[in-house]
Structures are given as C-alpha cells and as structure tokens.
C-alpha cells in the first residue's frame, strides 16, 4: 500500500507521467493506471500477505547495513540494487542463491523506508479548504449509562469553522467514521488535512520517519486528500484545531449530553455546528458561515463509491462459540455451530458482527469500549439450535449459562415440551429481546403456570400497556359447589314432539 501511495503522489502532486512512474518504481504501466484511476478503496475481505523476501533473510543484515551507511554518502555514490547484488555474489559466492529481481525488490522497499519524507511544513496563512484534525475527551450518557468518551474535531483555519463528532473510543474506525460523516455533511473533502502522530494511523520509526497504516492509506486514497503530519510533541503546529477542541467541549458538551442513540446524536451535532457558524469572525470581516463558503468552493468532490468504515479480522471461538477482543476483556457470542472454529468478524465504530463462510451476518453486537471485562450474549441462535435437540440441553454446556429462572422453568417441562418452550423463547427474543423473555419466565414461575399460552400471555402483558396484575389467592372457607351436568334429552323430547304435532295439523 505504501508503494501505491507513492505512485499516486508522483502522478497527482509531482506531475510525473504514467511512463515515468513505471520506470521509477519498476512496475508495469497497466499497474500504474490501475492505482491512479482507482476510485473505490474499501477494505478487501481477503488480505494478501505482504512481500517479505524470505529467501534474502540470511543476507538482509548486510544489505541493511550498506544502505544505512549510504545515508552519510552523496546521492550519486549510494548503492544501486545492481551494486548490492554484485557485492553479495562477491562476498558469499555459491552460497548466494537469490535472483537480481529479488534483491532489487527488497532494496526498493528498504530505500523507501529510509528516504521517505514526511516532514511537516505549515504555511503561515491557510488557504481555503484546508483543515486540521484532533481528538478530545468528553463524558456522555447513552440510555442512562455514563461513558468516558472522545470527540473528533475538524476545523477550517481560513474561516474558523469547525465540526465535531462524538464516540466511545478514538480508534481508527472512529476517526474514519467521524471524517466520513463530516465530509458527507459539508458536501466535499478538504484537499489537505493536518494530523498529529496518532498511533492508530501512523508509526514513528527510529530515524524519525513515519510509516502510515494500510487502512489509513486506503482511506486517504479513497477521498483523495493529502495528509500532513506535525512534528512529534508539536501540537502548536495545528493550533486552530487545538483551540477548537476546547471551544467544542465548552459550548456543545457541557453539561455532559444525554441521548438514546449515539449515531442519532452525531447527526444533531452537525446541525449544531452549522448554526454556531452564524457568529462573527474574530478577525476577518463577515460570519464564519460566509467565510466557510470560500472553504466549500475549494473542497474536493466526494467519491462516487461510499466508503465502508469497517475492519475485518479472523478470530478463534471457544467451545461455546464465543470469541474475545481487546486482549480478552470483551467477549462476544456467535452460534453453537461455530464452536471451536475460526470466524470472520466485521468491526465498525458501533458494532461487532460475526460473519459466516458466505460473509452473511450471524449475529450483531454493540461494540464494547474500555478496559473493564464485558460480555455480549445473543441467545437467539443458541435457543433455536437447542429447540431442535432438546434432549442434549443439559449436556451441551449451554444449560449452565442460562439464567436460573429459565433453568427452573425447563426442569418442570417434559422432553417434548422443552422443544416447544425453547422455540417460544426464541420467538419472544425476536419480539422484545432475551431480557424481556426471561422476565416473562420469572413471572410465570410466580403464578405457578407452566403452559405456553400463559407464558405468551404474560409476555404480551409485560411488554404491552396492560397494567400488571397481582397473583389471585383464593380465600379459605369457601363452600364447595356441586358439579353441574347439562342434559339436552328433555329439550329434544319436548321440541321434537311439538314439531310433530304441528306437522300433523298442517296435513
């Protein structure tokens, strides 16, 4: 991906032709055209292994040493791939069994690492359309639960306009989701974006060089902006957004906001930012909104293909079909049939979605954040599977995972009834969730009822608007009533006789 980025930079920013780029990077012109005109940079599920030139492993130490020494020499006196190849043949003789193409490939990669220039050069006056990016910390309440979250800030120094998006983390997916939301809201992409050296998108090497993550390079190429990174420990180089971080917190996030769904609140935040731009600029003539129109004119067009903000990883499940993320602190379920297997998982800023072998959704979980141990269990696949083989319930290991109330209810059922109960519980889970289904079971135990009709009725009542009813207790001392039996024969004799008399009179 690094070479692809260099190819596109050479075409779009250095002005080199396709033939010149092909010669410089020693690649086919068709390959250059492919990456220059590529528009869709979404993640491919199948990840190809990066070339590591394993055959050169015994000789890499020598090559690295020679190329490192070249940094002290004049450019025209540095090693070419041919010179490295010749020196290795001279030094190792018949023990050196690598081709020139292999040596040239490794030397090209190594030279890019040694001579890539990512130094930050900031203009004194920012041009319209250029923007700066940074995260801040902020607490918020979602469905009454306190989260220690983060908020992404995008500021435009020319107009002093700014936008903000709130998240539970500051990872790569949150960064991409926030930028994507803002790009689509303003109808374009800033041609240049300033970043700090966040570890989720860039790795600082020992010699001060930077290595960008493949995911960030893919995102950058998809939207076509140029990324500029500040020097380490030099936040003042993007002072506009540093000030915006404080402004957004004081004006939009105090007191800590409360809402039901984070995604919906982020849409509201974009509208709040639009209204905030109606104020006068602190230095220039006009409002922020009026000046932002100059920023908007300089924006790049949005790509034709929408970018999918997601990371795909393969995980190993345990005997219960569960897998863990974040160092084992966050546990998610799949389904019984995926126990002790490898499963592809799609991770977004908000959700964790295990996929089957055809990349179809198995279940969907809300994504956990933080360092506390948390577990998300979707019971629907387990209940559906158990309803097909209820005899194996107590031997599956899943039985002990069920709430005690559900265990007690199932213990009172026959083998045949268990299958029906498990199917009904699965249906109730689809309607209102596992927690409400368990509440219905607990109330059925209080009433002392075991039939499925009563269970469904109780569930409908507690999930509807019907007021709760207390269990009815029959008082002692009530007289016993004699059982009444209805006899219709007397009525038959009377009516049939009368009917015959009427018929005879008519004759």
């Amino acid at each position: 991906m690094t070479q692809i980025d260099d190819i596109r930079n050479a075409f779009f920013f250095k002005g080199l032709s396709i033939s010149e780029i092909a010669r410089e990077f020693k690649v086919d012109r068709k390959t250059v055209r492919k990456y220059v005109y590529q528009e869709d940079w979404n993640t491919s599920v199948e990840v190809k292994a990066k070339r590591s030139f394993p055959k050169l492993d015994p000789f890499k130490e020598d090559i690295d040493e020679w190329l490192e020494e070249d940094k002290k020499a004049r450019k025209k006196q540095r090693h070419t791939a041919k010179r490295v190849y010749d020196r290795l043949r001279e030094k190792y003789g018949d023990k050196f069994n690598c081709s020139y193409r292999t040596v040239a490939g490794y030397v090209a990669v190594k030279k890019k690492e040694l001579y890539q220039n990512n130094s930050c050069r900031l203009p004194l006056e920012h041009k319209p359309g250029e923007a700066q990016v940074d995260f801040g910390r902020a607490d918020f309440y979602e469905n009454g639960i306190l989260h220690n979250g983060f908020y992404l800030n995008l500021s435009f120094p020319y107009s002093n306009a700014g936008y903000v998006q709130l998240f539970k983390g500051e990872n790569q997916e949150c960064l991409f989701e926030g930028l994507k939301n803002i790009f689509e809201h303003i109808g374009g992409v800033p041609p240049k974006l300033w970043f700090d050296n966040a570890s989720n998108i860039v790795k600082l090497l020992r010699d001060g060089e930077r290595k960008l993550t493949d995911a960030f390079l893919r995102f950058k190429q998809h939207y076509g902006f140029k990324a500029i990174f500040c020097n380490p420990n030099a936040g003042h180089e993007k002072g506009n957004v540093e000030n915006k971080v404080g402004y957004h917190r004081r004006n939009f996030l105090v007191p800590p906001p409360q809402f039901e769904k984070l995604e919906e609140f982020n849409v509201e935040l974009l509208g709040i930012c639009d209204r905030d731009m109606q104020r006068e600029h602190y230095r220039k003539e006009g409002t922020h909104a009026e000046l932002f129109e100059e920023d908007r004119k300089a924006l790049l067009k949005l790509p034709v293909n929408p970018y999918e903000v997601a990371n795909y990883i393969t995980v190993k499940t345990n005997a219960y079909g569960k897998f863990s993320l974040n160092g084992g602190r966050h546990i998610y379920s799949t389904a019984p049939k995926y126990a002790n297997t490898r499963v592809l998982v799609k991770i977004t800023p908000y959700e964790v979605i295990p996929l089957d072998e055809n990349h179809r959704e198995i279940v969907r979980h809300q994504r956990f954040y933080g360092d506390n141990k948390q577990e998300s269990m979707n019971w629907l696949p387990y209940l559906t599977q158990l309803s097909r083989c209820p005899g194996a319930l107590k031997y599956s290991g899943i039985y002990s995972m069920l709430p005690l109330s559900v265990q007690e209810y199932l213990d009172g059922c026959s083998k045949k009834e268990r299958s029906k109960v498990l199917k009904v519980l699965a249906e109730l889970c689809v309607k209102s969730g596992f927690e409400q289904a368990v509440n219905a079971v607990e109330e059925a135990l209080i009433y002392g009822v075991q039939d499925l009709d009563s269970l469904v009725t109780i569930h409908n009542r507690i999930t509807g608007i019907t007021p709760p009813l207390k269990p009815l207790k029959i008082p002692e001392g009530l007289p016993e009533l004699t059982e009444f039996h209805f006899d219709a024969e007397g009525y038959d004799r009377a009516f049939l006789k009368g009917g015959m008399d009427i018929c005879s009179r008519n004759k």
Side-chain angles (χ1 to χ4, degrees):
M1 196 67 199
T2 302
Q3 187 182 52
I4 296 172
D5 187 51
D6 291 337
I7 289 173
R8 288 175 63 88
N9 283 338
F11 184 84
F12 289 108
F13 298 108
K14 296 182 181 179
L16 298 183
S17 68
I18 288 177
S19 297
E20 290 172 334
I21 296 172
R23 287 194 296 271
E24 179 177 343
F25 293 97
K26 298 180 176 60
V27 295
D28 192 88
R29 284 180 295 176
K30 292 181 180 178
T31 303
V32 177
R33 287 194 188 94
K34 173 186 174 182
Y35 294 126
V36 165
Y37 297 113
Q38 183 170 336
E39 293 184 347
D40 190 356
W41 293 87
N42 279 300
T43 305
S44 176
V45 173
E46 294 183 5
V47 181
K48 295 183 179 180
K50 187 179 178 181
R51 291 186 67 191
S52 57
F53 308 94
K55 202 171 181 181
L56 273 175
D57 285 347
F59 316 105
K60 285 180 180 178
E61 186 175 349
D62 288 323
I63 300 174
D64 292 352
E65 182 180 348
W66 297 339
L67 296 181
E68 188 70 34
E69 285 294 318
D70 276 352
K71 295 177 69 176
K72 305 174 184 177
R74 293 177 180 271
K75 185 175 182 179
K76 293 185 178 182
Q77 288 181 280
R78 294 172 182 171
H79 283 79
T80 61
K82 181 66 167 57
R83 181 59 185 142
V84 171
Y85 176 77
D86 290 339
R87 286 191 66 181
L88 291 172
R89 291 184 62 188
E90 292 169 7
K91 182 173 181 178
Y92 293 99
D94 294 336
K95 293 181 180 179
F96 181 70
N97 58 351
C98 300
S99 67
Y100 168 75
R101 184 182 294 273
T102 302
V103 174
Y106 179 75
V107 169
V109 171
K110 192 65 183 176
K111 282 190 174 183
K112 287 182 179 64
E113 294 178 359
L114 294 173
Y115 298 106
Q116 186 179 12
N117 183 16
N118 279 330
S119 59
C120 179
R121 298 179 177 86
L122 298 179
L124 295 177
E125 278 292 331
H126 285 274
K127 297 178 180 178
E130 298 177 357
Q132 300 176 354
V133 183
D134 202 4
F135 270 101
R137 288 178 173 269
D139 295 342
F140 60 87
Y141 292 88
E142 185 181 34
N143 286 323
I145 300 174
L146 175 64
H147 294 276
N148 306 122
F150 300 83
Y151 59 106
L152 176 73
N153 302 267
L154 182 70
S155 71
F156 292 84
Y158 176 81
S159 63
N160 201 31
Y163 288 91
V164 61
Q165 291 284 273
L166 193 60
F167 296 100
K168 294 178 184 177
E170 57 173 342
N171 53 39
Q172 193 168 253
E173 293 80 36
C174 294
L175 172 65
F176 295 168
E177 180 73 10
L179 291 177
K180 176 186 175 182
N181 291 345
I182 296 171
F183 293 165
E184 293 178 352
H185 179 74
I186 63 178
V189 181
K192 289 184 181 180
L193 283 173
W194 272 261
F195 297 86
D196 57 17
N197 296 283
S199 60
N200 55 4
I201 58 173
V202 62
K203 180 180 179 182
L204 288 175
L205 304 178
R206 291 182 178 179
D207 56 2
E209 299 295 324
R210 295 176 178 84
K211 182 178 181 181
L212 305 181
T213 65
D214 283 354
F216 180 75
L217 288 172
R218 189 176 294 108
F219 181 82
K220 181 172 78 72
Q221 296 300 350
H222 190 87
Y223 284 102
F225 62 83
K226 184 174 183 180
I228 302 176
F229 292 89
C230 298
N231 292 308
N233 302 317
H236 61 277
E237 292 181 345
K238 52 181 181 63
N240 185 269
V241 75
E242 296 285 342
N243 292 330
K244 269 288 184 284
V245 169
Y247 178 85
H248 286 156
R249 182 181 61 252
R250 292 188 300 270
N251 290 275
F252 304 158
L253 304 174
V254 176
Q258 301 185 37
F259 45 82
E260 292 184 1
K261 194 171 184 180
L262 180 55
E263 297 96 309
E264 295 175 356
F265 181 70
N266 273 332
V267 175
E268 292 182 26
L269 275 176
L270 295 173
I272 293 173
C273 293
D274 285 337
R275 293 190 291 275
D276 181 69
M277 289 197 297
Q278 299 305 319
R279 55 196 173 89
E280 291 291 322
H281 193 278
Y282 68 97
R283 181 166 55 88
K284 300 177 180 178
E285 291 291 332
T287 64
H288 293 79
E290 292 168 346
L291 293 167
F292 184 66
E293 289 305 311
E294 294 300 314
D295 281 316
R296 200 187 295 275
K297 291 176 184 177
L299 297 178
L300 305 174
K301 291 183 178 180
L302 288 169
V304 175
N305 298 304
Y307 191 85
E308 180 189 41
V309 179
N311 183 25
Y312 290 88
I313 64 170
T314 302
V315 299
K316 180 73 170 62
T317 62
N318 62 16
Y320 302 108
K322 298 180 181 181
F323 63 93
S324 63
L325 300 176
N326 195 21
R329 287 184 285 271
H330 301 156
I331 301 173
Y332 304 90
S333 67
T334 57
K337 66 178 291 186
Y338 299 103
N340 294 316
T341 59
R342 300 190 73 81
V343 176
L344 183 68
V345 179
K346 177 182 177 180
I347 303 175
T348 76
Y350 307 111
E351 296 176 318
V352 173
I353 308 168
L355 306 173
D356 66 11
E357 56 276 7
N358 296 314
H359 299 164
R360 294 174 302 191
E361 178 182 318
I362 301 172
V363 291
R364 187 178 291 256
H365 300 277
Q366 279 199 339
R367 183 175 179 177
F368 291 131
Y369 286 88
D371 294 328
N372 296 329
K373 294 202 73 172
Q374 302 174 74
E375 180 173 349
S376 177
M377 183 73 188
N378 189 318
W379 279 101
L380 183 58
Y382 293 83
L383 294 173
T384 304
Q385 180 73 16
L386 287 172
S387 67
R388 299 186 184 123
C389 48
L393 175 61
K394 289 193 175 182
Y395 309 101
S396 64
I398 300 173
Y399 178 79
S400 60
M401 297 162 52
L402 292 167
L404 293 177
S405 57
V406 178
Q407 293 183 32
E408 182 181 347
Y409 192 89
L410 291 170
D411 287 342
C413 301
S414 65
K415 180 179 178 181
K416 186 177 181 180
E417 289 172 336
R418 282 178 187 164
S419 176
K420 295 179 180 178
V421 170
L422 290 166
K423 286 181 181 178
V424 169
L425 286 175
E427 293 171 0
L428 299 183
C429 284
V430 173
K431 287 182 178 179
S432 59
F434 184 68
E435 185 177 346
Q436 290 285 40
V438 173
N439 291 339
V441 170
E442 292 175 348
E443 194 157 331
L445 291 172
I446 294 174
Y447 282 101
V449 293
Q450 201 76 27
D451 60 289
L452 291 178
D453 289 338
S454 297
L455 179 62
V456 172
T457 302
I458 291 172
H459 174 269
N460 291 340
R461 180 176 55 75
I462 65 177
T463 57
I465 59 173
T466 306
L469 301 174
K470 295 182 179 179
L472 180 63
K473 293 183 179 180
I474 300 176
E476 297 180 359
L478 287 178
E480 293 187 9
L481 299 177
T482 305
E483 187 175 356
F484 173 77
H485 294 282
F486 176 73
D487 183 9
E489 291 182 1
Y491 288 94
D492 290 340
R493 287 192 299 270
F495 284 111
L496 288 175
K497 182 179 179 181
M500 293 177 67
D501 292 341
I502 294 172
C503 290
S504 62
R505 284 198 297 270
N506 289 336
K507 287 180 181 180

